[in-house]
Amino acid sequence: MQKVFLTILCLWALGAGAVGVKSGSAMTLVDSCGFFPQLSLDGQWLLYSPTDAKSLMLKNLSTGQVTTVANTGYPGFDAIFGADGKVYYITQQRKGNGLVYRTGHCYNPSTGKSQVVLKPQHGRVEALQAATGVVVNGERQYYRSNDGVGAYVYTRGSLLYLVDEYGATRTMEPVKGSNGYLWAKLSPDGTKVLFEAAAKGLYVCDLDGRLVADLGQYLMPCWYNNDYIVAMSNAGNTRTNGSCIWLLSVDGRTCKPISSNNERAVQPMVAGNKVVYTIQYSGEVRQVELDIPAAMWQTVALGKGKTEKVKNPASKKDVPRVFINPGHGGHDSDDRHVPTWVIGAQDTLHYYESNSNLTKGLALEEILTNKGYEVALSRRTNTTEDDLDLFEIVSLAANSGADIFFSIHSNATGIVKRINFPLALYRGWDYKPVVEGSLKLSEAVMKYAAQNELAVWTHKERSRGDWSFYPEWGYQVGLGVLRYNKLPGMLSEGSFHDYLPERERLLNDSYCWLEAWNQSLGIDEYFGRSKQFKNGVIAGTVRWTDLFREDEDGRLFDADRQRTVNGALLRLYNERGALNRIFRTDDLDNGVFVFTNLPPQKYKLELLYGAEDNLYTTVKVNVKKNKTSYKNLTLKKDQKPKKK
Ligand SMILES: [Zn+2]
């Protein structure tokens, strides 16, 4: 057996009086592009990533020398220092089948060499600080930097895992109803766990999962010592710009900013009595020292590293995993409320983008799950708290070990213009996505979105890089929700909800379901799984050929000039002539009908209308495996019903 020397932890006695930043200690460590800074425990080395995780840089703070630790496989953002001074980082590789495999590495600053400590595996792989070492934790295999690595914590979805010094795992759920736990950390004395529950806030629990502190809305927390915590404010999804770094005490008595208010400080990290953080957009790394005693770590020696298999992995096969982010949450200012067509200002239906985004997201989850995917979601309800900060969303996605990130929205132009087309945005320049695979995903999803014959499209579908699409936001700023995302991913602006007929369609849950179904066809194509699902879909609208909508501003297009038929009855018969299902169009002026999950064959579709549901039209529809069959139908004002 390896001889193991334990890390000795000494905590200085706490002094009395006011606490805060040591005067004159503030300094800049990196001028720009230093995101996710990590200081070595001795304060001599700084790890950071310039932009978009594409490289991992190491700065010797004594000499000023900067070294590239790695620049392939998106090694940035989640690297850490071990107590041994070595750097532990993860790289990712997307295979031809769309699955992402992640590899664990250890870099030794004194030799300048990296070695693989964990071979490529599917799902989540992360470097975790354990009490006396580092664990590179994967779902199939994990690596421990030394024999007596001590206790550590990590999260998966809405569960918190505590692995004790003997390797036994305890599963805890200290806060119910959260979208997932993030940033779990064991206190220096090993008696408490700090974590954030997305949409709920920052908490401390004991080793049995009992809450001992509820600290409020803070993100990316670190223990400073056993009594103090450093974290950034959760200023809300759209207001992360105004973020600030805070010093909090577990007893709730201290709550004090340690960065100045206008700095836009994010991504705090603690080493000794030093706190480093970065400035949003510029990436300037700043350091302050606090005037209270820190937890001091002294590593005497370490045993040998070892890779082991996970005894009971959650899934046996490497199936594609999708992280879905239904945009917004709650009917707040960043949501987009539009009155409906018919009743205008008297509208009581209240279309909200957050509603249709969630309907689509839940539908996509169900469809993909039925198709054999693993799925995680950033929200399942629609409250103000569900509108997560971008750091929460991006961390939940990373924590899920997903192969793609998929954000669901609809678009708007404002009041004057009326246009309608599907748009995919990925991070990067047009045709040059930051994360490989994002363009392929966007184009596959857009292809099926554009085929939707229920919508009237005024323009061709587009797949664009967000840096090219929003030049006015600044150089390489782009969409917040994609900013720190390392997964191949996209944001779908499925259609324009302020094109009035489109908004009426989005009020129909079956229309939202159809958008999700078409997204699943694009996702199937991306993962090369188009042939694996056996059923298909019939969808269409019913419109009057000779009743027209008022079009005062001349902004209605093609078939959308025609009024839709409310209360039409659709009857679907299978090829043996048996009634399969019925669907009645709603009263919200969209004429939408959708039949889901149909075995491929030739169907007969009947259109009935009127107080007695008289039969008007019969058509044949051929359903194909994993495809949408479109059939738009019309009625004439003076059309006579067929004889029954
Ligand atoms: Zn939106």
Side-chain angles (χ1 to χ4, degrees), residues 327-328 334-336 353-354 357 407-412 491-493 497:
H328 311 288
D334 73 330
D335 198 349
R336 297 188 273 189
E353 191 199 329
S354 60
N357 292 346
S407 186
I408 296 174
H409 288 255
S410 53
N411 212 339
L491 182 145
S492 163
E493 298 274 21
H497 59 243

Side-chain angles (χ1 to χ4, degrees), residues 18-19 39-40 75 103 137 153 177 187 193 205 221 250 257 321 351 353 413 418 425 448 456 479 508 511 520 589 619:
V19 296
L39 200 56
S40 63
T103 306
N137 203 31
V153 289
S187 62
V193 180
C205 70
V250 178
R321 205 177 289 181
Y351 170 79
E353 191 199 329
T413 57
R418 293 279 184 253
L425 293 165
Y448 291 97
V456 170
L479 292 161
N508 183 293
Y511 185 73
S520 84
D589 299 294
V619 291

Side-chain angles (χ1 to χ4, degrees), residues 147-164:
D147 285 344
V149 77
Y152 60 97
V153 289
Y154 66 97
T155 64
R156 290 261 187 282
S158 294
L159 291 174
L160 179 59
Y161 295 90
L162 167 69
V163 183
D164 71 17

Side-chain angles (χ1 to χ4, degrees), residues 485-556:
N485 178 31
K486 294 212 284 189
L487 303 175
M490 61 170 278
L491 182 145
S492 163
E493 298 274 21
S495 57
F496 281 71
H497 59 243
D498 63 352
Y499 174 55
L500 301 176
E502 187 61 25
R503 187 203 51 205
E504 317 296 56
R505 288 187 278 270
L506 286 167
L507 281 164
N508 183 293
D509 286 355
S510 293
Y511 185 73
C512 293
W513 186 95
L514 181 70
E515 184 175 325
W517 162 259
N518 285 333
Q519 287 167 344
S520 84
L521 299 181
I523 291 168
D524 288 340
E525 188 168 299
Y526 173 81
F527 285 108
R529 291 164 65 93
S530 296
K531 295 199 169 79
Q532 291 194 18
F533 192 69
K534 59 182 190 300
N535 288 347
V537 166
I538 296 174
T541 56
V542 189
R543 293 186 172 99
W544 295 103
T545 50
D546 45 4
L547 273 177
F548 297 94
R549 285 174 145 148
E550 283 176 41
D551 185 13
E552 284 168 16
D553 58 0
R555 295 286 181 181
L556 288 173

Side-chain angles (χ1 to χ4, degrees), residues 11 151-153 160 162 172 184-195 203-213 215 223 225-229 249-251:
L11 181 61
Y152 60 97
V153 289
L160 179 59
L162 167 69
M172 303 185 283
K185 279 163 186 153
L186 201 57
S187 62
D189 62 5
T191 63
K192 299 184 284 279
V193 180
L194 171 64
F195 65 98
Y203 297 89
V204 177
C205 70
D206 66 16
L207 302 189
D208 294 317
R210 278 187 297 262
L211 292 180
V212 296
L215 298 168
W223 288 102
N225 57 33
N226 292 309
D227 302 299
Y228 285 95
I229 287 157
S249 61
V250 178
D251 65 11

